[in-house]
Every structure is written in structure tokens, then in C-alpha cells.
Amino acid sequence: MSLQSSKSTSPKVGFVSLGCPKALVDSERILTQLRVEGYDLVQAYDDADVVVVNTCGFIDSAVAESLDAIGEAMAENGKVIVTGCLGKRAEIIRAAHPGVLSISGPQDYASVMDAVHLALPPQHNPYIDLLPDYGLKLTPKHYAYLKISEGCNHRCSFCIIPSMRGDLVSRPVDEVLREAEKLVRGGVKELLVVSQDTSAYGVDVKYAEHTWREKSYQTRMKALCEGLGELGVWTRLHYVYPYPHVDDIIPLMAEGKILPYLDIPFQHASPRILKLMKRPGAVDKTLERIQRWRSTCPELTIRSTFIVGFPGETEDEFEQLLDFLDEAQLDRVGAFAYSPVEGAKANDLPDPVDEAVKQERLARFMERQALISEARLEAKVGTVQRCIVDNIDGDLAIARSMADAPEIDGLVQIQDGREAGLQPGEFVDVMIMGNDEHDLYGEVDYAAG
Ligand code: SF4
């Protein structure tokens, strides 16, 4: 739960933000609008005149978490406005919590604000002048998510996001670059580019050109990266679908324009399973491309996600996946045992994998990858890594290297962080002295600084 607070006599709104980084961006937009209109944001249900819950509906456990959060807000406060992905399935919410005031889907900021106005009319006050022009953020001040599009044109058979969020709608490149510029002016040092499918950016608008800083940019992933590269902060790409034109941005990473980091969900390595998933299936080409990317940009960190136990997955096909891990030597990997999502096409596929087999495969998968991830981290011991400090904890500074996205990857513990006077948001060179399976530790490298 993420609530913000301030003391005033303004109407008071509580805010619960659940779900993925894309939902977080929606929350930030709504919170910004609430502050623009003079609403006060409070931490406790008791203090709130109304509570907004931004839900997630991606997998069954997220649905349950969202329903629980709504139930808690209903019990503690009683005036609840629901928005976000689960809002697309209003019947589930109404069945569990018939008393909610309003339900709307993701990115429907107008409906949320209408519902807030109805429950709690805004007061005229001068708060608008106090709002920083980069808006309110739920993330620490030094990094921010930058949402470049909504929706998705793919139809992966395990996913219901396109039916909830619709087809791809890209934001014009100049608008995204201006937002990034404002964030950087507001103190942001790291931009995290998010969307459902970052590499499809601009397809829907035929890569329309727009002007930013007197230069023309296409609404296209590469041009966007070139623009963001002008801002002099870290830019990290998330959710890059494995299209061939991903190759085009690797040189920008090698030149240091954007971080050498790719979050690229491969999902599986068996061509037949990938076909059933309705994902690109040329695994040999994927391995070749990974090698090419690494020869262009040796610093590249690749994070990926996989699904094990997809309907029909045989032991052989699962072993192909393990072989792929061995060959690809990915840095960071997340994996899920397949779980049917209501409304997904994959539910109609034959030969579901037994739950115990799924769990056993997941454990084997994680064990295999843990060795690879650990060895890749170990190879960094003795090197100097550029890091950004997230916070100070006792004597330590907790930081991340270029290879670590916030929330999902590992950390770099800087042993002498406090002594060195480091502050959150500061960049620092760190001599890496050790590692475990996830994290690195080291000391400030004064020579490099
Ligand atoms: S690309 Fe991602 S969002 Fe789009 S359908 Fe596939 S899994 Fe869902």
C-alpha cells in the first residue's frame, strides 16, 4: 500500500496502489491530479474521506490481493473508488464488494476524478501553485517510470492484457521526451521506460515524427532512446519484446547513451511451446542474436522471464529450456509455473501439466539459473562498477549498478557508504569485493572517482 500525506483542511483522499510499474505510473498520474485540484493525500484509512484503490488483475493471486485491499478499505473506511486492471472485470468486484462507489479500468483517470468529485467535491485553494511541475511520484526522487504507450498488439495465449488494456496506443515521442525532461529537472537520475511492449513503440502511429529541442524524432524505440540519451541520466528499458530491430539499440548501449540493460521476456525456448504461446519461435536465431549483442556491447545485462509447465510441455521441451539457459548465460531471470488466467486462450490447450510436475520443473529451472546468475556476478568481483545510491542503512549505502533495475534485480552494498557521506540519488564508483547469488558488495573506489 502506498499513501502520501500532508496536513491541511482540504478534502482527504487515501490511495492504495497495487500492481506492476505501469499501474504505478497510473497511480502517479491520479495522485498528481488530486494534488492539482487541492486534495490532501493521507496515510491512514481513518483520516481519509474517501479511498481510491488502484488494482491489478493480471494473475489470480493479483486478483485476490486486489479484492483483499478493496475489502480492507471498505471495512476501515467504507467509501471506496476502484480503478485499474481489475476494474475491467467489474462483476468480480461487485460480487465481492457491492458497496464500492465506482469502478473504472486502467488509465481511466477521468472516471476516477469524476468519482472523487462526486464523493468529495473539490475545494478551491492555491495548492496548484505548490505542485512541482514533474508531478508526484511514488518512487524515490531519483528514479521514475516513464510510460511510453498503453496496450499491446500481440495476443500471447497466456495473457489477457490486450483484452483489458486494448491494442497499442503510443504516446507522441515529443510528449514523452518533454515528460522525461521535466522529471530530470525535478531531480530524477534514472528513467525506467515501461509499456506492455517497448519495442513496438510507434507502430500504431506509423512512427510519426515530432520535434523536440528543435530536432525531429520518430515515434520509434531507437529515436526515443537517442532523445533520452541526450538527457545525461540513466535510461533503462523494460519489457522489450524480442523483435529483430532490438538489434538497432545495442550500439546506443555500447556508446553509453542508454544503460546496457535489456529486460526481454523470452518466456520459453522450445519452438513448439513458443508457437502455442503465440510468441516468436526461432530459438537458434535468439541465441545468435544474444551473442551478437554481447560482442557489440560486452557490458550488456540481459534480464528475462520464463513460464514453465505451460500446457503440453513435455520433459524434453522443458530440457530444451534448461539447455537454452546454459547457452544464453542470462544475467537475471524470473520464472513462473504456468497458472491459468481467467479468459486466456491457453486455458483451452490440451494436456495441462500436473501441478507437482510444474513445481518440480520450476525448482530445477531456478536451481540451474541460480548457478549461472551467481557465476556472472562473481565475474564482477575485482571490477569497478558505476552505481546509484538508493538509501543509507546504518553504515551501508544500498546502491544498484547499471545491471540492477530497482525492485526486481539485486543490490550493491557499499560497506563504507555512510563514512563516505553518500546520499540517495548520488552516482559513485564501487570496487566490487564479493557477491552472493543476488547481490554484490564493495567499497567506494576513490581512484576511479
Ligand atoms: S506481449 Fe506482453 S502484454 Fe502483449 S500479449 Fe504478450 S504477454 Fe501480453
Side-chain angles (χ1 to χ4, degrees):
M1 173 163 161
S2 306
L3 299 178
Q4 308 256 321
S5 75
S6 100
K7 286 197 171 71
S8 85
T9 55
S10 305
K12 295 177 176 52
V13 180
F15 202 100
V16 180
S17 183
L18 302 170
C20 64
K22 286 152 278 194
L24 191 66
V25 175
D26 289 348
S27 293
E28 289 172 357
R29 294 244 172 102
I30 297 165
L31 287 169
T32 299
Q33 190 57 33
L34 286 166
R35 286 298 301 272
V36 164
E37 295 188 13
Y39 288 93
D40 207 0
L41 304 163
V42 294
Q43 298 272 3
Y45 288 120
D46 276 0
D47 297 339
D49 300 308
V50 68
V51 177
V52 178
V53 183
N54 187 9
T55 59
C56 176
F58 183 42
I59 53 172
D60 291 352
S61 58
V63 172
E65 190 192 0
S66 294
L67 289 176
D68 282 354
I70 298 167
E72 191 184 314
M74 286 296 288
E76 301 280 330
N77 182 282
K79 287 172 94 178
V80 178
I81 293 165
V82 180
T83 188
C85 282
L86 190 60
K88 283 278 186 184
R89 296 155 78 188
E91 65 299 341
I92 300 184
I93 300 170
R94 289 251 176 252
H97 305 294
V100 299
L101 297 177
S102 139
I103 300 175
S104 55
Q107 302 103 49
D108 193 353
Y109 317 121
S111 295
V112 177
M113 292 311 297
D114 286 351
V116 172
H117 295 156
L118 207 63
L120 198 58
Q123 285 176 4
H124 176 72
N125 68 36
Y127 269 80
I128 186 163
D129 298 332
L130 299 180
L131 188 80
D133 74 348
Y134 49 88
L136 284 179
K137 301 194 306 88
L138 293 175
T139 48
K141 193 168 179 261
H142 58 277
Y143 65 83
Y145 293 96
L146 185 65
K147 184 148 77 173
I148 59 169
S149 60
E150 298 290 357
C152 181
N153 287 347
H154 297 288
R155 294 295 180 263
C156 302
S157 60
F158 53 81
C159 178
I160 54 166
I161 283 177
S163 68
M164 293 201 292
R165 297 205 165 213
D167 282 340
L168 180 76
V169 179
S170 300
R171 296 176 62 201
V173 69
D174 56 329
E175 185 185 307
V176 175
L177 288 169
R178 274 198 305 274
E179 181 179 335
E181 212 174 7
K182 278 186 186 175
L183 287 164
V184 172
R185 270 207 304 274
V188 163
K189 303 276 176 50
E190 179 176 3
L191 295 162
L192 305 148
V193 174
V194 293
S195 67
Q196 304 297 344
D197 175 6
T198 295
S199 34
Y201 179 56
V203 156
D204 55 314
V205 292
K206 304 199 168 46
Y207 308 115
E209 286 194 26
H210 297 277
T211 305
W212 175 70
R213 290 186 173 178
E214 295 172 10
K215 196 174 152 196
S216 185
Y217 287 84
Q218 283 191 317
T219 303
R220 188 190 276 272
M221 179 171 63
K222 184 172 178 220
L224 174 72
C225 292
E226 285 165 350
L228 293 173
E230 296 294 307
L231 293 173
V233 296
W234 280 8
T235 296
R236 193 183 292 282
L237 301 184
H238 286 287
Y239 314 117
V240 176
Y241 190 89
Y243 285 111
H245 69 262
V246 174
D247 300 5
D248 299 344
I249 55 169
I250 306 296
L252 295 177
M253 296 182 176
E255 287 164 30
K257 298 270 187 218
I258 60 171
L259 286 180
Y261 180 98
L262 259 188
D263 174 7
I264 186 160
F266 293 121
Q267 307 298 12
H268 210 281
S270 144
R272 191 186 77 91
I273 296 291
L274 284 166
K275 202 162 162 215
L276 290 175
M277 288 178 165
K278 298 206 183 322
R279 307 265 313 175
V283 174
D284 289 351
K285 291 216 178 98
T286 304
L287 285 168
E288 270 173 36
R289 287 172 70 206
I290 291 174
Q291 272 176 10
R292 254 201 332 270
W293 295 342
R294 286 196 170 126
S295 64
T296 309
C297 179
E299 297 231 274
L300 180 65
T301 295
I302 306 176
R303 143 170 285 279
S304 191
T305 48
F306 293 87
I307 297 173
V308 303
F310 192 75
E313 181 188 71
T314 62
E315 178 60 25
D316 268 4
E317 286 162 340
F318 173 67
E319 284 186 11
Q320 280 178 42
L321 181 53
L322 296 183
D323 292 345
F324 176 86
L325 290 184
D326 286 341
E327 292 213 38
Q329 293 287 304
L330 305 175
D331 298 271
R332 308 274 189 191
V333 167
F336 306 92
Y338 175 76
S339 105
V341 175
E342 201 186 315
K345 288 270 186 296
N347 299 346
D348 305 332
L349 292 170
D351 307 319
V353 177
D354 184 75
E355 195 53 43
V357 175
K358 274 190 221 170
Q359 293 305 329
E360 180 261 345
R361 286 182 186 166
L362 180 62
R364 277 160 68 201
F365 178 99
M366 294 312 285
E367 208 176 306
R368 183 75 66 101
Q369 179 58 38
L371 296 174
I372 297 169
S373 295
E374 194 171 353
R376 292 192 69 81
L377 282 181
E378 207 176 320
K380 295 186 180 176
V381 174
T383 67
V384 174
Q385 299 289 326
R386 187 90 175 134
C387 294
I388 188 166
V389 176
D390 277 342
N391 59 289
I392 306 297
D393 181 5
D395 289 339
L396 304 177
I398 307 298
R400 287 175 294 106
S401 72
M402 294 195 279
D404 308 308
E407 319 280 347
I408 51 176
D409 292 329
L411 298 168
V412 180
Q413 287 187 4
I414 308 173
Q415 312 290 308
D416 54 348
R418 179 176 292 276
E419 196 187 315
L422 295 175
Q423 298 294 327
E426 195 173 325
F427 288 109
V428 58
D429 291 309
V430 180
M431 168 57 76
I432 304 301
M433 298 157 69
N435 73 292
D436 62 22
E437 194 185 307
H438 300 289
D439 300 331
L440 296 170
Y441 65 87
E443 284 181 356
V444 175
D445 185 73
Y446 292 100

